[in-house]
Amino acid sequence: MEAQQILSRFCPKPSSLLLPSHKKLHTLPCVGLKNLGIQRLGCSYTEGKKKRVFCVRRTIGEEAAEVKVGATMPARRKKLAVFVSGGGSNFKSIHEASLKGLLHGDVLVLVTNKHDCGGAEYARNNGIPVVLFPKVKDGSDGLSPSELVDTLRSFQVDFILLAGFLKLIPVELIQAYEKSILNIHPSLLPAFGGKGYYGLKVHKAVIASGARYSGPTIHFVDEHYDTGRILAQRAVPVLANDTAEELASRVLKEEHRLYVEVVEALCEERIVWREDGVPLIRSKDNPNEFC
């Protein structure tokens, strides 16, 4: 009876579900909250060849009940590809976090349009394969979009992370990795984004506008520059006497922190999509909270 009352709070038809007291739980990606319009999943257990799904509430003392979700780390480490055009400081931060065990994923390949850039040099020094894209005009070097897709699939890449990659991502790649490509931009999008807004140009425009805050944005990638769904942002104050270089330095520090946090959530399958298409990050400490 108590089980049915618990289920009635989280499941549409609790009478059709079974809540065993002795079966082992297997966590699924998430349990959504109805008022956020997030897709509802739950926990499951296996009995013979049958797999049943249910929701469960646990009580600690007299504290409020909560939904059991995400209690275990995904078994398989995620395989990452990073795209860069320059020094690749965000790439380095992500790779170092992976080596330290802060991410449940590994950088398997670096893609760049500049084979001699700092990011490519770092990758080669750390034994990470470097792929040149796009194909150079009137040359044999570089891959076509279809060849790039095939190459990433050969590495079994799960997610693509753009970290200062200045070329537009081809439609073939976006279709092959739907909702699996992230980009970081050094302003609070949708302000100061789009073609031509990169590097110090962004920070100069922010200061000239009189904006009081700037900061990094991480968003999913679509067919255009900086227009994909926003996943995470972090505000950085713009000081009265800031130069573009000073503002860029403070924003970059936050980029390094934010990108690692987001990739951590990505590898732990804590990204959920609201019914209106807005992506959210489920809290690691409290699965019922989102950021």
PDB file of all heavy atoms in Angstrom, residues 102-123:
ATOM      1  N   LEU A 102      39.050  13.496 -12.960  1.00  0.00           N
ATOM      2  CA  LEU A 102      37.911  14.365 -12.663  1.00  0.00           C
ATOM      3  C   LEU A 102      36.782  14.192 -13.670  1.00  0.00           C
ATOM      4  O   LEU A 102      35.660  14.648 -13.427  1.00  0.00           O
ATOM      5  CB  LEU A 102      38.365  15.829 -12.646  1.00  0.00           C
ATOM      6  CG  LEU A 102      39.462  16.174 -11.632  1.00  0.00           C
ATOM      7  CD1 LEU A 102      39.845  17.645 -11.759  1.00  0.00           C
ATOM      8  CD2 LEU A 102      38.999  15.860 -10.214  1.00  0.00           C
ATOM      9  N   LEU A 103      37.090  13.576 -14.815  1.00  0.00           N
ATOM     10  CA  LEU A 103      36.095  13.330 -15.857  1.00  0.00           C
ATOM     11  C   LEU A 103      35.989  11.839 -16.117  1.00  0.00           C
ATOM     12  O   LEU A 103      36.991  11.128 -16.098  1.00  0.00           O
ATOM     13  CB  LEU A 103      36.491  14.025 -17.171  1.00  0.00           C
ATOM     14  CG  LEU A 103      36.762  15.530 -17.141  1.00  0.00           C
ATOM     15  CD1 LEU A 103      37.205  15.998 -18.515  1.00  0.00           C
ATOM     16  CD2 LEU A 103      35.520  16.279 -16.702  1.00  0.00           C
ATOM     17  N   HIS A 104      34.766  11.389 -16.405  1.00  0.00           N
ATOM     18  CA  HIS A 104      34.548   9.988 -16.763  1.00  0.00           C
ATOM     19  C   HIS A 104      34.636   9.854 -18.281  1.00  0.00           C
ATOM     20  O   HIS A 104      33.738   9.333 -18.945  1.00  0.00           O
ATOM     21  CB  HIS A 104      33.188   9.529 -16.246  1.00  0.00           C
ATOM     22  CG  HIS A 104      33.050   8.036 -16.160  1.00  0.00           C
ATOM     23  ND1 HIS A 104      33.845   7.259 -15.363  1.00  0.00           N
ATOM     24  CD2 HIS A 104      32.218   7.180 -16.800  1.00  0.00           C
ATOM     25  CE1 HIS A 104      33.502   5.991 -15.492  1.00  0.00           C
ATOM     26  NE2 HIS A 104      32.526   5.916 -16.369  1.00  0.00           N
ATOM     27  N   GLY A 105      35.734  10.369 -18.829  1.00  0.00           N
ATOM     28  CA  GLY A 105      35.910  10.337 -20.276  1.00  0.00           C
ATOM     29  C   GLY A 105      37.350  10.612 -20.638  1.00  0.00           C
ATOM     30  O   GLY A 105      38.157  11.061 -19.814  1.00  0.00           O
ATOM     31  N   ASP A 106      37.698  10.359 -21.908  1.00  0.00           N
ATOM     32  CA  ASP A 106      39.064  10.511 -22.396  1.00  0.00           C
ATOM     33  C   ASP A 106      39.063  11.213 -23.750  1.00  0.00           C
ATOM     34  O   ASP A 106      38.207  10.945 -24.594  1.00  0.00           O
ATOM     35  CB  ASP A 106      39.735   9.139 -22.553  1.00  0.00           C
ATOM     36  CG  ASP A 106      39.714   8.346 -21.260  1.00  0.00           C
ATOM     37  OD1 ASP A 106      40.415   8.744 -20.313  1.00  0.00           O
ATOM     38  OD2 ASP A 106      38.979   7.337 -21.191  1.00  0.00           O
ATOM     39  N   VAL A 107      40.045  12.102 -23.957  1.00  0.00           N
ATOM     40  CA  VAL A 107      40.227  12.755 -25.247  1.00  0.00           C
ATOM     41  C   VAL A 107      41.010  11.808 -26.149  1.00  0.00           C
ATOM     42  O   VAL A 107      42.177  11.514 -25.891  1.00  0.00           O
ATOM     43  CB  VAL A 107      40.977  14.085 -25.109  1.00  0.00           C
ATOM     44  CG1 VAL A 107      41.172  14.723 -26.489  1.00  0.00           C
ATOM     45  CG2 VAL A 107      40.221  15.033 -24.182  1.00  0.00           C
ATOM     46  N   LEU A 108      40.372  11.330 -27.209  1.00  0.00           N
ATOM     47  CA  LEU A 108      40.997  10.352 -28.095  1.00  0.00           C
ATOM     48  C   LEU A 108      41.590  10.953 -29.353  1.00  0.00           C
ATOM     49  O   LEU A 108      42.482  10.368 -29.962  1.00  0.00           O
ATOM     50  CB  LEU A 108      39.979   9.274 -28.490  1.00  0.00           C
ATOM     51  CG  LEU A 108      39.407   8.401 -27.373  1.00  0.00           C
ATOM     52  CD1 LEU A 108      38.620   7.256 -27.989  1.00  0.00           C
ATOM     53  CD2 LEU A 108      40.507   7.851 -26.482  1.00  0.00           C
ATOM     54  N   VAL A 109      41.100  12.124 -29.756  1.00  0.00           N
ATOM     55  CA  VAL A 109      41.573  12.700 -31.007  1.00  0.00           C
ATOM     56  C   VAL A 109      41.375  14.212 -30.974  1.00  0.00           C
ATOM     57  O   VAL A 109      40.416  14.715 -30.376  1.00  0.00           O
ATOM     58  CB  VAL A 109      40.832  12.082 -32.220  1.00  0.00           C
ATOM     59  CG1 VAL A 109      39.335  12.328 -32.124  1.00  0.00           C
ATOM     60  CG2 VAL A 109      41.386  12.595 -33.537  1.00  0.00           C
ATOM     61  N   LEU A 110      42.301  14.932 -31.605  1.00  0.00           N
ATOM     62  CA  LEU A 110      42.192  16.378 -31.754  1.00  0.00           C
ATOM     63  C   LEU A 110      42.001  16.704 -33.220  1.00  0.00           C
ATOM     64  O   LEU A 110      42.720  16.186 -34.080  1.00  0.00           O
ATOM     65  CB  LEU A 110      43.449  17.074 -31.235  1.00  0.00           C
ATOM     66  CG  LEU A 110      43.371  18.604 -31.359  1.00  0.00           C
ATOM     67  CD1 LEU A 110      42.760  19.198 -30.102  1.00  0.00           C
ATOM     68  CD2 LEU A 110      44.734  19.223 -31.645  1.00  0.00           C
ATOM     69  N   VAL A 111      41.054  17.586 -33.516  1.00  0.00           N
ATOM     70  CA  VAL A 111      40.805  18.054 -34.882  1.00  0.00           C
ATOM     71  C   VAL A 111      41.161  19.533 -34.945  1.00  0.00           C
ATOM     72  O   VAL A 111      40.776  20.309 -34.060  1.00  0.00           O
ATOM     73  CB  VAL A 111      39.334  17.836 -35.284  1.00  0.00           C
ATOM     74  CG1 VAL A 111      39.071  18.391 -36.682  1.00  0.00           C
ATOM     75  CG2 VAL A 111      38.986  16.345 -35.233  1.00  0.00           C
ATOM     76  N   THR A 112      41.894  19.934 -35.964  1.00  0.00           N
ATOM     77  CA  THR A 112      42.301  21.329 -36.103  1.00  0.00           C
ATOM     78  C   THR A 112      42.371  21.720 -37.575  1.00  0.00           C
ATOM     79  O   THR A 112      42.564  20.863 -38.445  1.00  0.00           O
ATOM     80  CB  THR A 112      43.673  21.570 -35.447  1.00  0.00           C
ATOM     81  OG1 THR A 112      44.017  22.960 -35.573  1.00  0.00           O
ATOM     82  CG2 THR A 112      44.758  20.723 -36.097  1.00  0.00           C
ATOM     83  N   ASN A 113      42.220  23.007 -37.827  1.00  0.00           N
ATOM     84  CA  ASN A 113      42.418  23.530 -39.185  1.00  0.00           C
ATOM     85  C   ASN A 113      43.806  24.131 -39.343  1.00  0.00           C
ATOM     86  O   ASN A 113      44.157  24.624 -40.412  1.00  0.00           O
ATOM     87  CB  ASN A 113      41.353  24.580 -39.504  1.00  0.00           C
ATOM     88  CG  ASN A 113      41.411  25.778 -38.575  1.00  0.00           C
ATOM     89  OD1 ASN A 113      41.463  25.621 -37.355  1.00  0.00           O
ATOM     90  ND2 ASN A 113      41.394  26.973 -39.139  1.00  0.00           N
ATOM     91  N   LYS A 114      44.613  24.083 -38.270  1.00  0.00           N
ATOM     92  CA  LYS A 114      45.980  24.604 -38.294  1.00  0.00           C
ATOM     93  C   LYS A 114      46.905  23.570 -37.656  1.00  0.00           C
ATOM     94  O   LYS A 114      46.977  23.473 -36.430  1.00  0.00           O
ATOM     95  CB  LYS A 114      46.056  25.933 -37.547  1.00  0.00           C
ATOM     96  CG  LYS A 114      45.205  27.038 -38.155  1.00  0.00           C
ATOM     97  CD  LYS A 114      45.321  28.337 -37.373  1.00  0.00           C
ATOM     98  CE  LYS A 114      44.485  29.447 -37.999  1.00  0.00           C
ATOM     99  NZ  LYS A 114      44.592  30.727 -37.232  1.00  0.00           N
ATOM    100  N   HIS A 115      47.620  22.841 -38.483  1.00  0.00           N
ATOM    101  CA  HIS A 115      48.413  21.714 -37.991  1.00  0.00           C
ATOM    102  C   HIS A 115      49.555  22.139 -37.080  1.00  0.00           C
ATOM    103  O   HIS A 115      50.070  21.334 -36.294  1.00  0.00           O
ATOM    104  CB  HIS A 115      48.979  20.912 -39.169  1.00  0.00           C
ATOM    105  CG  HIS A 115      49.976  21.679 -39.993  1.00  0.00           C
ATOM    106  ND1 HIS A 115      51.315  21.733 -39.704  1.00  0.00           N
ATOM    107  CD2 HIS A 115      49.811  22.439 -41.103  1.00  0.00           C
ATOM    108  CE1 HIS A 115      51.939  22.483 -40.582  1.00  0.00           C
ATOM    109  NE2 HIS A 115      51.057  22.922 -41.450  1.00  0.00           N
ATOM    110  N   ASP A 116      49.956  23.434 -37.145  1.00  0.00           N
ATOM    111  CA  ASP A 116      51.072  23.899 -36.321  1.00  0.00           C
ATOM    112  C   ASP A 116      50.634  24.767 -35.149  1.00  0.00           C
ATOM    113  O   ASP A 116      51.451  25.439 -34.513  1.00  0.00           O
ATOM    114  CB  ASP A 116      52.060  24.678 -37.190  1.00  0.00           C
ATOM    115  CG  ASP A 116      51.411  25.876 -37.897  1.00  0.00           C
ATOM    116  OD1 ASP A 116      50.158  25.967 -37.882  1.00  0.00           O
ATOM    117  OD2 ASP A 116      52.140  26.698 -38.477  1.00  0.00           O
ATOM    118  N   CYS A 117      49.343  24.773 -34.816  1.00  0.00           N
ATOM    119  CA  CYS A 117      48.861  25.592 -33.706  1.00  0.00           C
ATOM    120  C   CYS A 117      49.282  24.979 -32.369  1.00  0.00           C
ATOM    121  O   CYS A 117      49.682  23.813 -32.284  1.00  0.00           O
ATOM    122  CB  CYS A 117      47.342  25.767 -33.772  1.00  0.00           C
ATOM    123  SG  CYS A 117      46.402  24.261 -33.434  1.00  0.00           S
ATOM    124  N   GLY A 118      49.169  25.773 -31.313  1.00  0.00           N
ATOM    125  CA  GLY A 118      49.577  25.313 -29.991  1.00  0.00           C
ATOM    126  C   GLY A 118      48.805  24.106 -29.511  1.00  0.00           C
ATOM    127  O   GLY A 118      49.364  23.204 -28.856  1.00  0.00           O
ATOM    128  N   GLY A 119      47.536  24.050 -29.826  1.00  0.00           N
ATOM    129  CA  GLY A 119      46.723  22.908 -29.410  1.00  0.00           C
ATOM    130  C   GLY A 119      47.172  21.623 -30.067  1.00  0.00           C
ATOM    131  O   GLY A 119      47.218  20.556 -29.436  1.00  0.00           O
ATOM    132  N   ALA A 120      47.528  21.697 -31.353  1.00  0.00           N
ATOM    133  CA  ALA A 120      48.000  20.514 -32.075  1.00  0.00           C
ATOM    134  C   ALA A 120      49.341  20.047 -31.521  1.00  0.00           C
ATOM    135  O   ALA A 120      49.597  18.840 -31.384  1.00  0.00           O
ATOM    136  CB  ALA A 120      48.113  20.815 -33.563  1.00  0.00           C
ATOM    137  N   GLU A 121      50.207  20.995 -31.189  1.00  0.00           N
ATOM    138  CA  GLU A 121      51.506  20.645 -30.620  1.00  0.00           C
ATOM    139  C   GLU A 121      51.334  19.940 -29.271  1.00  0.00           C
ATOM    140  O   GLU A 121      51.997  18.941 -28.989  1.00  0.00           O
ATOM    141  CB  GLU A 121      52.359  21.907 -30.451  1.00  0.00           C
ATOM    142  CG  GLU A 121      53.746  21.640 -29.892  1.00  0.00           C
ATOM    143  CD  GLU A 121      54.564  22.914 -29.731  1.00  0.00           C
ATOM    144  OE1 GLU A 121      54.059  23.981 -30.104  1.00  0.00           O
ATOM    145  OE2 GLU A 121      55.699  22.821 -29.219  1.00  0.00           O
ATOM    146  N   TYR A 122      50.427  20.473 -28.443  1.00  0.00           N
ATOM    147  CA  TYR A 122      50.162  19.847 -27.144  1.00  0.00           C
ATOM    148  C   TYR A 122      49.639  18.427 -27.327  1.00  0.00           C
ATOM    149  O   TYR A 122      50.048  17.501 -26.608  1.00  0.00           O
ATOM    150  CB  TYR A 122      49.148  20.687 -26.360  1.00  0.00           C
ATOM    151  CG  TYR A 122      48.707  20.063 -25.054  1.00  0.00           C
ATOM    152  CD1 TYR A 122      49.431  20.270 -23.885  1.00  0.00           C
ATOM    153  CD2 TYR A 122      47.569  19.264 -24.987  1.00  0.00           C
ATOM    154  CE1 TYR A 122      49.030  19.699 -22.678  1.00  0.00           C
ATOM    155  CE2 TYR A 122      47.164  18.689 -23.794  1.00  0.00           C
ATOM    156  CZ  TYR A 122      47.898  18.910 -22.650  1.00  0.00           C
ATOM    157  OH  TYR A 122      47.504  18.330 -21.465  1.00  0.00           O
ATOM    158  N   ALA A 123      48.739  18.252 -28.294  1.00  0.00           N
ATOM    159  CA  ALA A 123      48.178  16.922 -28.535  1.00  0.00           C
ATOM    160  C   ALA A 123      49.267  15.930 -28.932  1.00  0.00           C
ATOM    161  O   ALA A 123      49.338  14.814 -28.397  1.00  0.00           O
ATOM    162  CB  ALA A 123      47.103  16.996 -29.620  1.00  0.00           C
TER     163      ALA A 123
END
